[in-house]
Amino acid sequence: MQQTANVLEPCRPKRRIALALQGGGSHGAFTWGVLDRLLEEPSFEFVGVSGTSAGAMNAAVLADGLRRGGAPQARLSLQEYWHDVGHLTGYSSIWATMPHGIWHLDHNPAYLWADMLTRVWSPYQVNHSNYNPLRELLERIDFEGLREDAFSPRVFICATNVRTGLRRVFQNAELSADVLLASACLPQLHQTVEIGGDFFWDGGYTGNPALAPLYLGADASDLIIVGINPLERATVPRTARGIIDRIDEISFNSTFMLELGAIAFVEHLAKSTSAEPPFRFLHVHGIRDESLGSFGASSKMNNAWSFLQHLHDVGRRATDRWLAENLHEVGERSTVDLSGLVPQEDGLLTGPSPLKRMDLYGTSV
C-alpha cells in the first residue's frame, strides 16, 4: 500500500497555512474533501481562511471546528455540515430520474421549471418569507466564539454591496449567519441580505475569494487556493443555457484573476526594486480538479448526498496527489508560477495561463 505524505515526513516543522476557498454551490463539497485531507497533515497549522459563497460556509465551519477542538473537530464539523446539506430537499429528491453517474440537472423538470421562473419572477415575488434552509444549518457555528477568541483562525468572508457594487470583506469581529448568507446570496434565488443598513449579494461578483486580506491579515508562510470554477473550456458554447453558464464562470473568475494578477505585479515590482510591499510574500499553491467542469454548471444546484460524497472523494484524491507532488515545497517556494500574470509593455503575457495546470497537482508547467 502506498504511504501517504504525512507518514513519509513525520518530523516536518509546522507550516502556517492560509486558505482561499472559492464558491460554487454544491461543488463546495469538493473543497470539503480537500480540507478533510489537509487536516490530516500534521505539519500544517491553519491560521487564516478566506471564503466566498460555498467557500464562506466551508471557511466558517472549518474555523469554528479548529477553535473548538483542533483538526479532528474541524473534520467532524465539515462532515456533519455537508451531510445535512445533502439531506435538504433538492431538485434530485423532487424528481430523481438521473441515470447513474449523471450529476447535472439539465433535464430535470423541477430544475428547468424553477430556472424558468427566475427569469420571470424575482425572489421577492415567489419567496415572500425569504426562507433560506441554510440558515438553520448555520446555527451550529459558534459565531460569538469566532468573534471574541483572539486565537481563532482569521476568517475573511466576501460579499458584494448591491448599491455601490463594491466588495465588503467581513472579518472575525463581524461574523454571523447573515454574513455567510450574504456571501452566498444569488440574487435570482434569494432576497438581498441586509447588514448594518447595507444590502449584499453573492461575494463571487467581486472576490471569489478575496486574496488581499490573507496577505495583510494572516500570519502565514503559504497560501493554498482551492479552486472549483473552471478557468478554461475547450469548446465555445452554442446553446442559450451554455452561453449563460460560461458567462457566469467568467464573471465569477474575473475578479479572482485580476486580484491574483495585482499580487503577482506587486511581488514582481518588490523583487526587482528595493521597494517593500505592504504585505509579506506568501508561497502560493493551488488544488483543483478539472473533472468538476465535466459535471455541468447545473450540477452546482444538485445537493444529492451521493453527489456530495462523490465530490468529497474527488477532493481527497486531488489533495493526495498534490501532497505527494508538492508537500516538500510548502514553506520553501511557490508551486504556482504567477509570472504569466505580470503586465508587460505590450500587455499581459500571451502564453498559457499560469493556473492552467492547477488541475491535479497545483503545479504550473
Side-chain angles (χ1 to χ4, degrees):
M1 179 180 297
Q2 183 181 2
Q3 289 181 302
T4 57
N6 59 338
V7 174
L8 291 173
E9 300 191 37
C11 298
R12 284 179 56 82
K14 289 283 187 180
R15 302 299 187 190
R16 295 174 67 82
I17 306 296
L19 294 162
L21 311 180
Q22 281 195 327
S26 295
H27 289 194
F30 168 83
T31 302
W32 163 35
V34 171
L35 297 175
D36 191 43
R37 178 64 186 88
L38 290 177
L39 286 164
E40 293 178 345
E41 176 48 53
S43 67
F44 288 172
E45 179 184 359
F46 300 100
V47 297
V49 54
S50 175
T52 293
S53 195
M57 309 298 175
N58 278 322
V61 174
L62 169 72
D64 179 54
L66 288 172
R67 190 191 73 82
R68 291 190 290 116
Q73 180 59 52
R75 293 185 65 204
L76 179 60
S77 296
L78 286 163
Q79 179 183 5
E80 291 175 341
Y81 171 78
W82 282 102
H83 174 272
D84 289 350
V85 170
H87 288 82
L88 293 173
T89 300
Y91 295 116
S92 58
S93 58
I94 295 173
W95 199 288
T97 60
M98 294 183 297
H100 178 70
I102 302 299
W103 303 112
H104 65 73
L105 302 172
D106 294 353
H107 307 297
N108 182 295
Y111 170 77
L112 294 173
W113 175 249
D115 184 60
M116 184 186 69
L117 290 181
T118 64
R119 303 178 194 285
V120 180
W121 291 299
S122 81
Y124 296 88
Q125 296 169 297
V126 299
N127 186 6
H128 296 288
S129 64
N130 199 23
Y131 172 70
N132 189 329
L134 290 180
R135 182 177 291 278
E136 296 177 10
L137 301 191
L138 299 178
E139 293 176 355
R140 72 193 65 211
I141 299 174
D142 180 8
F143 290 107
E144 183 178 358
L146 288 174
R147 290 192 297 264
E148 297 182 357
D149 188 347
F151 297 100
S152 295
R154 298 298 88 192
V155 180
F156 307 96
I157 303 299
C158 183
T160 301
N161 188 308
V162 179
R163 293 191 288 201
T164 67
L166 301 176
R167 84 176 180 192
R168 168 74 185 277
V169 178
F170 296 89
Q171 302 187 34
N172 288 61
E174 307 165 293
L175 294 181
S176 67
D178 281 338
V179 167
L180 298 186
L181 294 175
S183 183
C185 179
L186 291 173
Q188 301 93 338
L189 302 179
H190 302 290
Q191 298 179 25
T192 58
V193 178
E194 181 179 0
I195 302 174
D198 285 320
F199 297 86
F200 295 94
W201 281 343
D202 196 294
Y205 299 115
T206 51
N208 191 20
L211 299 178
L214 294 173
Y215 281 80
L216 296 167
D219 183 19
S221 62
D222 294 76
L223 167 63
I224 298 178
I225 301 169
V226 183
I228 58 178
N229 286 306
L231 293 168
E232 298 186 4
R233 290 289 187 182
T235 60
V236 176
R238 296 186 181 277
T239 65
R241 180 74 263 172
I243 291 170
I244 292 172
D245 290 342
R246 186 55 180 155
I247 289 173
D248 287 343
E249 287 176 351
I250 293 172
S251 298
F252 279 96
N253 276 325
S254 61
T255 53
F256 165 69
M257 295 299 295
L258 287 171
E259 189 170 10
L260 204 57
I263 288 170
F265 175 69
V266 172
E267 288 195 354
H268 171 77
L269 187 66
K271 290 175 181 177
S272 60
T273 68
S274 58
E276 288 292 332
F279 53 76
R280 66 180 59 83
F281 289 114
L282 294 179
H283 304 301
V284 181
H285 315 277
I287 301 174
R288 80 168 49 235
D289 194 304
E290 290 303 322
S291 69
L292 296 185
S294 68
F295 297 141
S298 64
S299 68
K300 293 180 180 180
M301 303 298 293
N302 180 6
N303 70 313
W305 175 233
S306 58
F307 182 45
L308 301 184
Q309 288 177 302
H310 178 67
L311 289 168
H312 167 270
D313 293 343
V314 173
R316 278 194 63 95
R317 290 194 297 268
T319 309
D320 269 331
R321 294 190 292 267
W322 182 83
L323 287 168
E325 184 79 10
N326 298 294
L327 179 58
H328 64 286
E329 304 288 5
V330 177
E332 302 297 330
R333 69 175 187 90
S334 295
T335 55
V336 172
D337 180 10
L338 300 182
S339 61
L341 294 175
V342 177
Q344 306 296 302
E345 291 183 359
D346 57 349
L348 288 177
L349 295 180
T350 57
S353 163
L355 300 185
K356 184 177 181 180
R357 294 297 299 167
M358 270 176 54
D359 47 1
L360 296 179
Y361 306 109
T363 55
S364 177
V365 297

